[in-house]
Amino acid sequence: MARVSQAEIGVDSYRGYYAGVRTRDNTLVLGTVSDAYYGERSVPMPDPVRPFRWYHVRLKMEGCRIEASAWAAGTHASRTILTESEDCIRSGGIGLRSYSSGGVWRNIAIVPKGSSPNTETESNEQLPAPDEVSYRRS
């Protein structure tokens, strides 16, 4: 999530943007949230989105140009969604969320415009599988 404000407890209880991969329809999604999810765009991922597999997700924001990209770790095939609007949310915090699936995150980076993310996290190295226990609810 990016440019988050007015965050409260509850599904879609914030104002901002969301990008992620979705197992339900094997897509990369980019959406706008303002106490309800709307303005969603999606593109099919090159391979089925699977639990217990690492994915790189990048959300790049420059003014009102918002770009989401995703790819499975160890692959070169990526997907990108781009949206641009003159009436965009221009500021806010960041967040991580999982909806009906559990979630594990690592190597999170926020970089200023003109900087490069750590290339170590972008390599095609095989990352260890996420720990299945992390996805279980108590």
Side-chain angles (χ1 to χ4, degrees):
M1 301 179 330
R3 296 186 179 171
V4 175
S5 63
Q6 303 169 10
E8 297 179 8
I9 295 173
V11 176
D12 298 331
S13 296
Y14 66 96
R15 185 171 184 261
Y17 297 98
Y18 167 82
V21 292
R22 190 165 56 196
T23 57
R24 181 181 68 209
D25 57 1
N26 298 306
T27 57
L28 164 64
V29 295
L30 173 61
T32 304
V33 179
S34 187
D35 291 320
Y37 197 67
Y38 69 94
E40 178 184 288
R41 293 176 179 235
S42 64
V43 294
M45 290 292 288
D47 296 312
V49 176
R50 297 188 315 253
F52 312 113
R53 184 176 189 189
W54 288 109
Y55 290 88
H56 297 273
V57 178
R58 176 178 291 152
L59 187 55
K60 183 177 178 182
M61 311 189 88
E62 293 182 24
C64 289
R65 185 178 192 273
I66 301 162
E67 179 182 302
S69 303
W71 61 97
T75 69
H76 293 284
S78 67
R79 291 296 182 259
T80 299
I81 302 172
L82 174 67
T83 187
E84 198 160 359
S85 166
E86 290 182 21
D87 184 28
C88 71
I89 301 166
R90 295 184 177 269
S91 65
I94 65 154
L96 301 170
R97 80 178 275 224
S98 171
Y99 182 72
S100 297
S101 64
V104 177
W105 296 272
R106 63 188 269 174
N107 299 328
I108 298 161
I110 295 98
V111 295
K113 182 179 173 181
S115 297
S116 295
N118 182 348
T119 55
E120 178 182 324
T121 62
E122 292 186 19
S123 72
N124 286 324
E125 68 183 284
Q126 285 298 104
L127 298 171
D131 182 355
E132 187 171 333
V133 174
S134 302
Y135 288 93
R136 295 184 188 148
R137 294 182 182 219
S138 51

